[in-house]
Amino acid sequence: MPTYSRCAACKYLRKKCPSDCIFSPYFPLNNPRRFENVHKIYGAGNIARMIQKIPVHLREHAIDSLHFEAHCRVEDPVYGCVKIISQLQAELNWAQNQLVKTQAEIALVLNIYGPKEEPFSDLQVNEEDDSCDIGYHNFQPNNYGLQPFDPSVLGYGLS
Amino acid sequence: MGSGSTPCASCKLLRRRCAKDCMFAPYFPPDDPQRFALVHKVFGASNVGKMLQELPVHQRADAVSSLVYEANARIRDPVYGCVGAISFLQNQVTQLQMQLAMAQAEIMSIQMQQDPTTALMQNQLELSDDKSFLLSTSDNFSDLQQYLNNYATSTGNVIQDPLKRESMWT
Protein backbone atom coordinates (compact mmCIF):
# COMPACT_ATOMS: atom_id res chain seq x y z
CA MET A 1 0.00 0.00 0.00
CA PRO A 2 1.61 3.26 -1.05
CA THR A 3 2.25 5.75 1.73
CA TYR A 4 1.19 9.33 1.25
CA SER A 5 2.58 12.05 3.42
CA ARG A 6 1.94 15.72 3.28
CA CYS A 7 4.13 18.59 4.36
CA ALA A 8 3.04 20.63 7.35
CA ALA A 9 1.67 23.35 5.09
CA CYS A 10 -0.55 21.08 3.04
CA LYS A 11 -1.71 19.27 6.13
CA TYR A 12 -2.68 22.55 7.75
CA LEU A 13 -4.39 23.76 4.60
CA ARG A 14 -6.06 20.38 4.17
CA LYS A 15 -5.03 19.82 0.64
CA LYS A 16 -3.01 17.31 -1.33
CA CYS A 17 0.72 17.73 -1.24
CA PRO A 18 2.04 17.44 -4.78
CA SER A 19 5.52 16.16 -5.53
CA ASP A 20 6.60 19.68 -6.50
CA CYS A 21 4.95 21.37 -3.51
CA ILE A 22 6.69 24.72 -2.99
CA PHE A 23 6.28 24.49 0.78
CA SER A 24 7.39 20.94 1.47
CA PRO A 25 11.18 21.52 1.57
CA TYR A 26 10.75 24.20 4.23
CA PHE A 27 7.82 23.04 6.31
CA PRO A 28 8.40 19.46 7.39
CA LEU A 29 5.59 17.51 8.98
CA ASN A 30 7.40 17.21 12.29
CA ASN A 31 7.23 20.97 12.91
CA PRO A 32 3.64 22.11 12.37
CA ARG A 33 4.07 25.25 14.48
CA ARG A 34 6.56 26.64 11.96
CA PHE A 35 3.97 26.87 9.22
CA GLU A 36 1.17 27.91 11.57
CA ASN A 37 3.09 31.00 12.70
CA VAL A 38 4.13 31.98 9.21
CA HIS A 39 0.64 31.44 7.83
CA LYS A 40 -0.95 33.41 10.66
CA ILE A 41 1.16 36.49 9.98
CA TYR A 42 1.80 36.40 6.24
CA GLY A 43 -0.68 33.98 4.77
CA ALA A 44 0.17 30.95 2.66
CA GLY A 45 -0.44 32.78 -0.59
CA ASN A 46 1.96 35.59 0.28
CA ILE A 47 4.60 33.11 1.38
CA ALA A 48 4.32 31.14 -1.85
CA ARG A 49 4.53 34.33 -3.86
CA MET A 50 7.59 35.52 -1.94
CA ILE A 51 9.37 32.17 -2.23
CA GLN A 52 8.84 32.02 -5.97
CA LYS A 53 10.71 35.27 -6.46
CA ILE A 54 13.76 34.09 -4.53
CA PRO A 55 16.54 31.90 -5.98
CA VAL A 56 16.23 28.32 -4.81
CA HIS A 57 19.50 28.31 -2.85
CA LEU A 58 18.30 31.25 -0.74
CA ARG A 59 14.76 30.09 -0.08
CA GLU A 60 15.55 28.26 3.12
CA HIS A 61 17.18 31.37 4.57
CA ALA A 62 14.18 33.44 3.53
CA ILE A 63 11.76 31.03 5.19
CA ASP A 64 13.89 30.92 8.32
CA SER A 65 13.90 34.71 8.59
CA LEU A 66 10.17 34.89 7.85
CA HIS A 67 9.55 32.28 10.52
CA PHE A 68 11.65 34.19 13.02
CA GLU A 69 9.79 37.42 12.32
CA ALA A 70 6.43 35.67 12.44
CA HIS A 71 7.36 34.06 15.75
CA CYS A 72 8.37 37.46 17.16
CA ARG A 73 5.09 38.95 15.95
CA VAL A 74 3.04 36.16 17.51
CA GLU A 75 4.88 36.69 20.82
CA ASP A 76 4.63 40.48 20.62
CA PRO A 77 1.72 41.52 18.38
CA VAL A 78 2.48 45.23 18.76
CA TYR A 79 6.21 45.45 18.03
CA GLY A 80 7.27 42.06 16.68
CA CYS A 81 10.98 41.85 15.93
CA VAL A 82 11.22 45.64 15.62
CA LYS A 83 11.52 45.67 19.39
CA ILE A 84 14.84 43.84 19.09
CA ILE A 85 16.09 46.39 16.55
CA SER A 86 15.07 49.20 18.87
CA GLN A 87 16.89 47.57 21.78
CA LEU A 88 20.00 47.01 19.70
CA GLN A 89 19.98 50.63 18.59
CA ALA A 90 19.77 51.74 22.19
CA GLU A 91 22.62 49.41 23.11
CA LEU A 92 24.67 50.74 20.21
CA ASN A 93 24.10 54.33 21.32
CA TRP A 94 25.03 53.46 24.89
CA ALA A 95 28.23 51.67 23.85
CA GLN A 96 29.18 54.55 21.55
CA ASN A 97 28.67 57.07 24.35
CA GLN A 98 30.69 54.93 26.74
CA LEU A 99 33.49 54.64 24.22
CA VAL A 100 33.63 58.38 23.66
CA LYS A 101 33.57 58.93 27.41
CA THR A 102 36.35 56.40 27.99
CA GLN A 103 38.49 57.84 25.23
CA ALA A 104 38.07 61.28 26.79
CA GLU A 105 39.14 59.81 30.13
CA ILE A 106 42.23 58.34 28.50
CA ALA A 107 43.09 61.73 27.03
CA LEU A 108 42.56 63.33 30.44
CA VAL A 109 44.67 60.76 32.27
CA LEU A 110 47.45 61.08 29.73
CA ASN A 111 47.30 64.83 30.25
CA ILE A 112 47.59 64.45 33.99
CA TYR A 113 50.19 61.74 34.14
CA GLY A 114 51.94 62.20 30.85
CA PRO A 115 52.40 59.41 28.26
CA LYS A 116 52.36 55.87 29.57
CA GLU A 117 55.78 54.80 30.73
CA GLU A 118 57.15 52.02 28.60
CA PRO A 119 58.17 49.10 30.75
CA PHE A 120 61.92 48.46 30.60
CA SER A 121 62.38 51.79 28.89
CA ASP A 122 65.79 52.19 30.51
CA LEU A 123 66.94 48.88 29.18
CA GLN A 124 69.57 49.23 26.53
CA VAL A 125 68.78 46.93 23.67
CA ASN A 126 71.42 45.93 21.23
CA GLU A 127 69.62 45.70 17.90
CA GLU A 128 72.14 43.20 16.58
CA ASP A 129 71.99 40.91 19.58
CA ASP A 130 68.84 38.79 19.51
CA SER A 131 69.49 37.36 22.95
CA CYS A 132 68.59 40.77 24.44
CA ASP A 133 65.33 41.10 22.50
CA ILE A 134 62.61 41.39 25.11
CA GLY A 135 59.93 41.46 22.44
CA TYR A 136 58.34 44.68 23.65
CA HIS A 137 56.70 46.81 21.02
CA ASN A 138 55.15 50.24 21.27
CA PHE A 139 51.41 50.17 21.95
CA GLN A 140 49.29 52.62 19.99
CA PRO A 141 46.32 53.87 22.04
CA ASN A 142 42.95 54.31 20.29
CA ASN A 143 43.99 52.27 17.32
CA TYR A 144 42.93 48.72 17.95
CA GLY A 145 42.84 47.64 14.34
CA LEU A 146 39.05 47.77 14.30
CA GLN A 147 36.86 49.71 11.91
CA PRO A 148 35.85 53.09 13.31
CA PHE A 149 32.10 53.19 13.90
CA ASP A 150 29.93 55.89 12.44
CA PRO A 151 26.33 55.62 13.75
CA SER A 152 25.01 57.83 10.97
CA VAL A 153 25.31 54.96 8.50
CA LEU A 154 22.41 53.16 10.13
CA GLY A 155 19.68 55.69 9.54
CA TYR A 156 16.99 53.46 10.95
CA GLY A 157 15.16 56.44 12.45
CA LEU A 158 12.77 54.48 14.58
CA SER A 159 10.42 56.86 16.33
CA MET B 1 -13.62 57.04 6.61
CA GLY B 2 -10.75 59.37 7.28
CA SER B 3 -11.88 62.89 6.78
CA GLY B 4 -14.67 64.15 4.55
CA SER B 5 -15.27 61.99 1.52
CA THR B 6 -11.67 61.04 0.77
CA PRO B 7 -11.15 57.31 1.12
CA CYS B 8 -8.22 56.17 3.20
CA ALA B 9 -5.17 54.73 1.44
CA SER B 10 -6.24 51.14 2.10
CA CYS B 11 -9.75 51.53 0.72
CA LYS B 12 -8.40 53.42 -2.26
CA LEU B 13 -5.94 50.63 -3.05
CA LEU B 14 -8.52 47.92 -2.45
CA ARG B 15 -11.08 49.87 -4.46
CA ARG B 16 -13.83 49.72 -1.93
CA ARG B 17 -16.02 52.17 -0.13
CA CYS B 18 -14.33 53.70 2.87
CA ALA B 19 -16.81 53.44 5.74
CA LYS B 20 -17.03 56.00 8.54
CA ASP B 21 -15.71 53.43 10.98
CA CYS B 22 -13.05 52.03 8.64
CA MET B 23 -10.46 50.31 10.82
CA PHE B 24 -7.55 51.24 8.57
CA ALA B 25 -8.40 54.92 8.10
CA PRO B 26 -6.68 56.27 11.25
CA TYR B 27 -3.40 54.59 10.32
CA PHE B 28 -3.32 54.80 6.53
CA PRO B 29 -4.16 58.36 5.53
CA PRO B 30 -4.83 59.06 1.85
CA ASP B 31 -1.78 61.30 1.53
CA ASP B 32 0.60 58.37 2.09
CA PRO B 33 -0.51 55.53 -0.19
CA GLN B 34 2.91 53.87 -0.08
CA ARG B 35 2.50 53.02 3.59
CA PHE B 36 -0.47 50.74 3.03
CA ALA B 37 0.90 49.41 -0.24
CA LEU B 38 3.96 48.13 1.64
CA VAL B 39 2.07 46.25 4.35
CA HIS B 40 -0.46 44.92 1.88
CA LYS B 41 2.29 43.55 -0.33
CA VAL B 42 4.02 41.70 2.50
CA PHE B 43 1.28 40.81 4.97
CA GLY B 44 -1.94 41.22 3.04
CA ALA B 45 -4.79 43.53 3.98
CA SER B 46 -6.89 40.84 5.65
CA ASN B 47 -3.97 39.68 7.83
CA VAL B 48 -3.26 43.25 8.86
CA GLY B 49 -6.94 43.72 9.67
CA LYS B 50 -6.99 40.55 11.79
CA MET B 51 -3.86 41.65 13.67
CA LEU B 52 -5.31 45.08 14.37
CA GLN B 53 -8.63 43.67 15.51
CA GLU B 54 -6.88 41.60 18.15
CA LEU B 55 -5.21 44.66 19.63
CA PRO B 56 -6.63 47.36 21.90
CA VAL B 57 -7.13 50.63 20.05
CA HIS B 58 -4.38 52.48 21.88
CA GLN B 59 -1.76 49.98 20.64
CA ARG B 60 -2.77 49.88 17.02
CA ALA B 61 -0.77 52.89 15.86
CA ASP B 62 2.46 51.37 17.19
CA ALA B 63 1.58 48.02 15.68
CA VAL B 64 1.02 49.59 12.27
CA SER B 65 4.30 51.50 12.50
CA SER B 66 6.22 48.30 13.27
CA LEU B 67 4.41 46.43 10.49
CA VAL B 68 5.31 49.17 8.02
CA TYR B 69 8.92 48.96 9.18
CA GLU B 70 9.03 45.19 8.77
CA ALA B 71 7.33 45.32 5.40
CA ASN B 72 9.79 47.94 4.19
CA ALA B 73 12.69 45.80 5.41
CA ARG B 74 11.32 42.73 3.68
CA ILE B 75 10.85 44.52 0.38
CA ARG B 76 14.36 45.93 0.50
CA ASP B 77 15.80 42.56 1.46
CA PRO B 78 13.45 39.75 0.39
CA VAL B 79 15.70 37.04 1.85
CA TYR B 80 16.54 38.36 5.31
CA GLY B 81 14.18 41.28 5.94
CA CYS B 82 14.51 42.67 9.45
CA VAL B 83 16.76 39.82 10.49
CA GLY B 84 19.44 41.27 8.24
CA ALA B 85 19.23 44.53 10.13
CA ILE B 86 19.32 42.72 13.47
CA SER B 87 22.40 40.79 12.44
CA PHE B 88 24.14 43.94 11.22
CA LEU B 89 23.33 45.85 14.39
CA GLN B 90 24.43 42.99 16.59
CA ASN B 91 27.75 42.87 14.78
CA GLN B 92 28.19 46.60 15.30
CA VAL B 93 27.38 46.25 18.99
CA THR B 94 29.95 43.46 19.34
CA GLN B 95 32.62 45.55 17.63
CA LEU B 96 31.88 48.54 19.81
CA GLN B 97 31.95 46.42 22.94
CA MET B 98 35.38 45.15 21.94
CA GLN B 99 36.62 48.67 21.35
CA LEU B 100 35.15 49.74 24.67
CA ALA B 101 36.76 46.85 26.53
CA MET B 102 40.15 47.67 25.04
CA ALA B 103 39.79 51.36 25.85
CA GLN B 104 38.82 50.50 29.42
CA ALA B 105 41.81 48.18 29.70
CA GLU B 106 44.02 50.96 28.38
CA ILE B 107 42.82 53.45 30.95
CA MET B 108 43.14 50.88 33.70
CA SER B 109 46.68 50.15 32.61
CA ILE B 110 47.62 53.83 32.70
CA GLN B 111 46.03 54.32 36.11
CA MET B 112 47.68 51.19 37.51
CA GLN B 113 51.05 52.50 36.49
CA GLN B 114 50.52 55.84 38.16
CA ASP B 115 48.31 55.11 41.16
CA PRO B 116 47.63 51.39 41.69
CA THR B 117 45.62 51.71 44.90
CA THR B 118 43.14 54.25 43.57
CA ALA B 119 42.90 52.43 40.27
CA LEU B 120 41.98 49.17 42.00
CA MET B 121 39.36 50.86 44.17
CA GLN B 122 37.85 52.60 41.18
CA ASN B 123 37.78 49.36 39.24
CA GLN B 124 35.91 47.65 42.07
CA LEU B 125 33.32 50.44 42.05
CA GLU B 126 32.86 50.20 38.29
CA LEU B 127 32.47 46.43 38.37
CA SER B 128 29.69 46.76 40.92
CA ASP B 129 27.71 49.03 38.58
CA ASP B 130 25.23 47.26 36.44
CA LYS B 131 26.75 47.62 33.00
CA SER B 132 24.74 44.80 31.54
CA PHE B 133 22.18 46.18 29.18
CA LEU B 134 18.97 45.43 27.47
CA LEU B 135 19.50 42.64 25.06
CA SER B 136 20.48 39.86 27.42
CA THR B 137 17.13 40.27 29.14
CA SER B 138 15.12 40.33 25.95
CA ASP B 139 12.61 37.49 25.72
CA ASN B 140 13.39 36.87 22.09
CA PHE B 141 17.13 37.18 22.46
CA SER B 142 17.74 33.46 23.01
CA ASP B 143 15.65 32.72 19.91
CA LEU B 144 17.60 35.31 17.97
CA GLN B 145 20.93 33.91 19.12
CA GLN B 146 19.87 30.41 18.13
CA TYR B 147 18.68 31.62 14.75
CA LEU B 148 21.88 33.55 14.08
CA ASN B 149 24.07 30.68 15.22
CA ASN B 150 22.25 28.17 13.07
CA TYR B 151 21.67 30.10 9.93
CA ALA B 152 23.17 33.56 9.67
CA THR B 153 26.84 32.60 9.91
CA SER B 154 26.42 29.88 7.33
CA THR B 155 25.36 32.39 4.72
CA GLY B 156 28.59 34.30 4.81
CA ASN B 157 26.52 37.24 3.80
CA VAL B 158 25.02 38.45 7.03
CA ILE B 159 27.53 38.49 9.81
CA GLN B 160 30.80 38.33 7.96
CA ASP B 161 30.16 41.19 5.61
CA PRO B 162 28.23 43.78 7.58
CA LEU B 163 29.47 46.74 5.55
CA LYS B 164 28.09 45.23 2.39
CA ARG B 165 24.70 44.68 4.00
CA GLU B 166 24.91 48.11 5.54
CA SER B 167 24.42 49.61 2.08
CA MET B 168 20.84 48.31 2.07
CA TRP B 169 20.03 50.32 5.14
CA THR B 170 21.51 53.72 4.25
Side-chain angles (χ1 to χ4, degrees), chain A residues 61-135:
Chain A
H61 300 297
I63 294 293
D64 285 339
S65 69
L66 284 164
H67 174 241
F68 178 79
E69 289 182 31
H71 172 73
C72 289
R73 183 61 61 174
V74 167
E75 295 288 311
D76 183 352
V78 181
Y79 297 106
C81 71
V82 176
K83 189 176 184 180
I84 299 177
I85 292 177
S86 187
Q87 288 172 337
L88 277 168
Q89 267 191 291
E91 187 154 340
L92 206 58
N93 291 339
W94 179 85
Q96 179 72 357
N97 289 338
Q98 287 296 110
L99 184 62
V100 166
K101 185 181 154 192
T102 305
Q103 287 176 337
E105 283 175 17
I106 290 173
L108 180 67
V109 166
L110 285 175
N111 252 350
I112 293 171
Y113 295 120
K116 190 169 72 169
E117 202 176 282
E118 314 283 1
F120 311 111
S121 59
D122 57 348
L123 187 68
Q124 298 291 326
V125 177
N126 184 347
E127 297 280 340
E128 295 171 357
D129 183 0
D130 288 341
S131 65
C132 292
D133 188 354
I134 58 171

Side-chain angles (χ1 to χ4, degrees), chain A residues 22-83:
Chain A
I22 196 167
F23 295 120
S24 61
Y26 318 111
F27 298 104
L29 198 57
N30 60 358
N31 191 358
R33 182 59 63 91
R34 184 174 159 92
F35 180 77
E36 281 172 29
N37 284 342
V38 163
H39 177 58
K40 183 177 179 181
I41 301 302
Y42 297 100
N46 282 334
I47 294 292
R49 200 171 31 83
M50 281 194 253
I51 295 175
Q52 276 168 345
K53 292 180 184 174
I54 293 171
V56 174
H57 68 284
L58 290 174
R59 287 179 183 178
E60 185 165 5
H61 300 297
I63 294 293
D64 285 339
S65 69
L66 284 164
H67 174 241
F68 178 79
E69 289 182 31
H71 172 73
C72 289
R73 183 61 61 174
V74 167
E75 295 288 311
D76 183 352
V78 181
Y79 297 106
C81 71
V82 176
K83 189 176 184 180

